[in-house]
Amino acid sequence: MSAFFAWLGQMPPLVQVPIIILAFVVVVAAILFFVEIAPRSGRMYTIIRLAVCIAAPALVLILVGSYDWAVAIAAVLGGLFFILDYRSRKGAGYLFQLVGFLSPAILLLAIGLVIPTIQTGFQAFQNSRGTEFVGLDNFIWVFTQPEAVRTVGNTIVWVLIAPLVSTIAGLAYAVFIDKSRGEKYFKILVFMPMAISFVGASIIWRFVYTARPADQNQIGLLNQIVVWLGGTPVDFLAVDPWNTLFLIVVLIWVQTGFAMVVLSAAIKGVPAEQLEAAELDGTNGWQRFVNVIVPGIRGSLIVVLTTISIASLKVFDIVRTMTAGSNETSVIANEMYTQFKNFEQGRSAAFAVVLFLLVMPIVVYNARQIKKQREIR
């Protein structure tokens, strides 16, 4: 197989791309053949199956020159045909549309996500140049160096504060303006930050936090207010550990609009009969909110919380734009980029693996909750 890839590597890029596309088309065509044609009964299809089982390994032997690969493909084809023959008794061909429609998406997913994930996993156990296996050294460095530990701790602070505050603020806003006069205008005002990129929002808030010497005119909104109140300018982005909280405010400002829109739509979906029945039972507004509205929008609350939690875990733009990780404000995504820029490929991959492990439980929990909601429906 290495000989084939070596031969392909010698080809010009304009030749490599058509060969790869042709190989993909051939594989899809083979899968469709196995699913749609091969399982059919009859002498002719039996002969076709036998011919494929012989021709495919022979073709591999000619192109690659490897007996091992030829035997392996022959075994795989034999097992595949056995399964398809068994399946054909219950009606063949039901995978035709599935394979036909999903194969391009599966290919792109493998190229853009699965393969890079596997490569990053291997790189996390290698040295900075990726030439030597170093075991757990990179992970030991991540969890023993004070700066790296602080980075992981900052990320956890982000994921503990930003989702909770954003969801509470969005829920409160959705409840208070629901069915009020001028509701759509209030929603537009809160949702507007969602239309701004994280970089744009970071630049706006960087100007808000900007500090100048006390004898100069302040251009930062907060410091101008501080001066008006008789105080001295404060460099908000340099005051540790509060500077991390000032950065989290930017994410909360952006994500509150998302939480408000989703939860407002969910609140409108709560049956009016339940609210009327609770009101007839003599409950007040807070009791109706806790006992009727919150259980009715539980699924949406989970989606909002988990979505913002994932955004908090992988936040990069805000930190990079406002502080570049200085003054003890770095997070995992920013440190991953910093290590990669410093040619520490192994450490960068280790941070990526740590981030992946932190995100996975949230993704799995979200998927399980969505599955439960579908089962209830």
Side-chain angles (χ1 to χ4, degrees):
M1 183 62 73
S2 58
F4 172 76
F5 285 112
W7 170 80
L8 183 62
Q10 295 175 356
M11 297 292 103
L14 294 178
V15 177
Q16 291 181 10
V17 173
I19 291 177
I20 295 173
I21 295 175
L22 179 62
F24 171 68
V25 172
V26 170
V27 170
V28 173
I31 294 174
L32 296 179
F33 166 77
F34 292 149
V35 173
E36 192 66 18
I37 299 177
R40 298 181 182 179
S41 59
R43 180 179 299 177
M44 180 182 69
Y45 297 107
T46 302
I47 295 174
I48 292 176
R49 288 195 294 271
L50 290 174
V52 171
C53 284
I54 295 173
L59 182 62
V60 170
L61 185 61
I62 293 173
L63 293 178
V64 182
S66 172
Y67 290 99
D68 296 335
W69 276 97
V71 172
I73 289 181
V76 171
L77 286 176
L80 181 61
F81 279 126
F82 175 81
I83 295 173
L84 291 176
D85 284 338
Y86 175 78
R87 188 176 61 80
S88 65
R89 301 170 190 173
K90 300 181 180 180
Y94 72 93
L95 290 178
F96 177 80
Q97 293 181 344
L98 181 64
V99 175
F101 285 110
L102 292 186
S103 54
I106 292 173
L107 175 67
L108 294 175
L109 187 65
I111 295 175
L113 181 62
V114 176
I115 295 176
T117 301
I118 296 174
Q119 290 177 339
T120 302
F122 280 113
Q123 291 170 358
F125 298 95
Q126 296 176 338
N127 61 3
S128 59
R129 296 185 179 181
T131 58
E132 182 182 351
F133 180 78
V134 295
L136 297 175
D137 289 354
N138 293 321
F139 294 96
I140 294 174
W141 182 89
V142 169
F143 292 103
T144 56
Q145 295 297 315
E147 298 83 2
V149 173
R150 179 61 183 268
T151 296
V152 177
N154 285 342
T155 304
I156 295 175
V157 170
W158 275 79
V159 79
L160 289 177
I161 296 178
L164 187 61
V165 176
S166 298
T167 303
I168 292 175
L171 178 60
Y173 204 87
V175 171
F176 290 139
I177 69 172
D178 186 39
K179 299 178 182 178
S180 64
R181 182 178 299 178
E183 175 185 355
K184 61 180 180 180
Y185 300 108
F186 294 138
K187 285 184 176 180
I188 290 174
L189 290 175
V190 178
F191 190 73
M192 279 178 61
M194 282 292 296
I196 306 174
S197 67
F198 282 148
V199 174
S202 302
I203 293 174
I204 292 173
W205 279 89
R206 188 171 182 178
F207 279 112
V208 172
Y209 292 142
T210 297
R212 283 187 170 183
D215 57 344
Q216 298 182 14
N217 293 327
Q218 300 299 317
I219 63 172
L221 175 62
L222 285 182
N223 277 300
Q224 184 61 63
I225 295 175
V226 169
V227 171
W228 283 340
L229 295 176
T232 57
V234 179
D235 191 353
F236 292 98
L237 298 181
V239 181
D240 178 45
W242 305 107
N243 47 7
T244 296
L245 298 180
F246 294 134
L247 295 181
I248 294 175
V249 168
V250 182
L251 183 64
I252 294 173
W253 182 65
V254 174
Q255 294 294 335
T256 297
F258 163 73
M260 181 269 299
V261 169
V262 175
L263 297 178
S264 177
I267 290 173
K268 292 182 182 301
V270 176
E273 295 81 5
Q274 295 182 5
L275 295 172
E276 293 173 358
E279 187 175 0
L280 292 175
D281 288 340
T283 59
N284 56 35
W286 173 253
Q287 291 173 332
R288 289 195 297 272
F289 172 74
V290 173
N291 298 314
V292 179
I293 294 179
V294 172
I297 64 173
R298 181 176 181 274
S300 298
L301 281 172
I302 292 174
V303 170
V304 170
L305 277 170
T306 53
T307 302
I308 301 178
S309 296
I310 294 174
S312 303
L313 280 171
K314 62 186 184 68
V315 66
F316 169 78
D317 313 61
I318 295 174
V319 176
R320 196 70 198 175
T321 303
M322 298 186 71
T323 64
S326 60
N327 299 315
E328 304 293 340
T329 58
S330 186
V331 291
I332 290 180
N334 179 72
E335 194 64 25
M336 181 176 63
Y337 169 77
T338 302
Q339 293 295 330
F340 183 80
K341 187 180 67 172
N342 294 336
F343 303 101
E344 291 290 348
Q345 181 175 328
R347 294 176 182 177
S348 175
F351 275 112
V353 172
V354 172
L355 181 61
F356 176 79
L357 294 177
L358 290 175
V359 170
M360 278 305 298
I362 300 176
V363 174
V364 172
Y365 176 77
N366 196 10
R368 294 185 63 179
Q369 292 301 316
I370 293 175
K371 182 179 179 181
K372 288 181 181 179
Q373 291 295 325
R374 290 178 178 175
E375 291 174 353
I376 293 175
R377 293 175 184 174

